[in-house]
Structures are given as C-alpha cells and as structure tokens.
Amino acid sequence: DKADLVINALYPHQKPKKNVLVGPDFFCLRDEFLFLGNKTKKNSFNRILLTFGGVDEGNITLSVLKSISHLCIEKNLMIEVVTGPGYPHHNDLQSFISQNDKLKCDVIKKTNRISEHMLKCDIAFTSGGRTVLELASLKVPTIVICQNDRETTHTFASKKNGIINLGHRNKVSSKKIEDSLLELLENQEFVSQMQKKMSSLKL
C-alpha cells in the first residue's frame, strides 16, 4: 500500500491497482535463460528432471521419485534430480536410489546454471514457484506439485499456460503422479498443445 510501484510475477491481485503489476508479463527472466536458444523438438522422451527448490520442505523429490521409478525403469528413462544447498534429505534419497539398482538416476546437489539441466530434459517435475516460469520459457512439459498453501495461489501454473498442476503435495497420490507422467509419455498431441500454449507467452 505504501509503495509507488509493486512488481511481482507470481501473485494475482483481487483488486487491481495502478501501482501493482503482476503476472507473467512482468516476470524478470534471468540471462542464463535468455541466451540458451531454442530447445530441440523431440518425438520421444528420454530424460526426466526433478527439482523442488533449495530446501524442498515436503521432500517432494523423494515422493515423486518413488512414484515414477517403476515407470522409468520400464521405459528406460533417465532421471536427473537437482536439489539445492538446503535440501536435508540426501541420505534418504541415496538410500532409495541404491535399493533400486535398475533405476538410472543422477543427483546434482548444487548448480549455478539450472537452465542447462532444464534444456536437456524432456519433462520436468517442480514446485509452484518461479521455476515454473523458467521451464515455460524453454517450453519444457511441466508437472507442478505445490509445496504449501501459498504456492497454490500462484495461478500461472495452470492448463491455460500449458502446465499440469496437481495441487498441494498433501493431496497428491502416487498414482496421480505416475498417471500424469504417463499421459505426457503416451500423448504427443497433448504435449504439443501444452508447448503451443507456452510458446504464446512473452516471458
């Protein structure tokens, strides 16, 4: 209320004000995304990215990995997990990976250029923050699971913008996670429609 100008890409405002600018039109895309070039279009999927922020308070990383591991083994898919410096669940994550020796999974504990990992992946799982807009800028088919109630208010992550949003982590079942991935793997027309919607955005 006291600011002359407010810019926030994530939060929709209920009562529009002249000094409040929200939504994807006002997203500040970092340089590492601006100069990457176009993602190569593929007709098949080989690599899945999991990245849920620097802390991942609900350990969605492990939940998703458990949910999709059988499908990824069956379809010979590579999983790349990018965690942040505050992720406290590495022991549990590594324990699960070591118990599933047929699972192809790389864990990157820290990166200064996550854009490069996004560019080489075919499908991404992430939480409902700014990462969604970064993935959309690269036209990566994305499945969102929200960490908390606040993230459920980030309305950019929606079908309207080519994003699958499964909602709050406490309300998302393993089957729903697996079914969402399977839909992308088996429905190229659906994926094309998602990417078309992302292409129309001016991020």
Side-chain angles (χ1 to χ4, degrees):
D1 289 336
K2 294 181 180 180
D4 295 311
L5 183 64
V6 177
I7 301 173
N8 192 323
L10 292 177
Y11 295 100
H13 53 289
Q14 301 301 315
K15 297 178 182 177
K17 299 177 181 179
K18 288 183 179 179
N19 68 321
V20 180
L21 305 176
V22 298
D25 287 345
F26 304 100
F27 182 57
C28 300
L29 196 62
R30 290 180 287 156
D31 286 357
E32 64 173 291
F33 292 92
L34 292 172
F35 302 115
L36 270 181
N38 294 322
K39 186 174 176 61
T40 304
K41 190 173 181 179
K42 293 197 220 174
N43 293 321
S44 61
F45 297 129
N46 303 302
R47 183 177 289 267
I48 313 295
L49 174 68
L50 311 186
T51 183
F52 289 92
V55 177
D56 188 6
E57 61 195 70
N59 200 10
I60 307 177
T61 299
L62 185 56
S63 296
V64 172
L65 187 61
K66 288 179 177 179
S67 300
I68 68 172
S69 58
H70 174 75
L71 185 60
C72 289
I73 292 170
E74 179 185 308
K75 294 189 175 292
N76 195 33
L77 301 173
M78 179 72 198
I79 301 173
E80 189 165 301
V81 176
V82 177
T83 64
Y87 182 69
H89 309 288
H90 276 291
N91 289 341
D92 293 336
L93 184 64
Q94 292 294 350
S95 176
F96 178 78
I97 293 170
S98 63
Q99 290 168 21
N100 294 269
D101 56 350
K102 291 183 179 178
L103 185 65
K104 296 195 294 185
C105 183
D106 283 342
V107 178
I108 294 92
K109 293 184 178 180
K110 184 180 178 183
T111 178
N112 293 323
R113 290 187 62 84
I114 195 168
S115 56
E116 293 175 357
H117 299 280
M118 291 178 178
L119 191 66
K120 66 182 179 181
C121 79
D122 302 307
I123 294 171
F125 283 87
T126 192
S127 46
R130 288 174 174 80
T131 305
V132 182
L133 289 107
E134 293 171 345
L135 286 161
S137 76
L138 300 178
K139 303 172 190 62
V140 178
T142 299
I143 300 170
V144 168
I145 301 173
C146 299
Q147 289 277 9
N148 46 50
D149 291 336
R150 175 174 50 81
E151 286 192 356
T152 64
T153 70
H154 299 171
T155 53
F156 175 82
S158 65
K159 286 184 178 179
K160 180 183 76 172
N161 295 314
I163 309 294
I164 297 174
N165 191 337
L166 301 184
H168 195 290
R169 60 184 167 89
N170 290 338
K171 299 177 181 178
V172 181
S173 66
S174 292
K175 186 176 187 308
K176 195 172 184 180
I177 294 169
E178 184 179 8
D179 286 349
S180 298
L181 176 58
L182 196 59
E183 184 174 20
L184 294 180
L185 294 174
E186 295 186 345
N187 192 339
Q188 184 60 47
E189 178 60 30
F190 177 58
V191 172
S192 296
Q193 290 173 4
M194 290 176 67
Q195 291 176 317
K196 187 175 181 180
K197 288 177 181 178
M198 288 187 273
S199 296
S200 69
L201 300 167
K202 292 179 177 151
L203 294 169

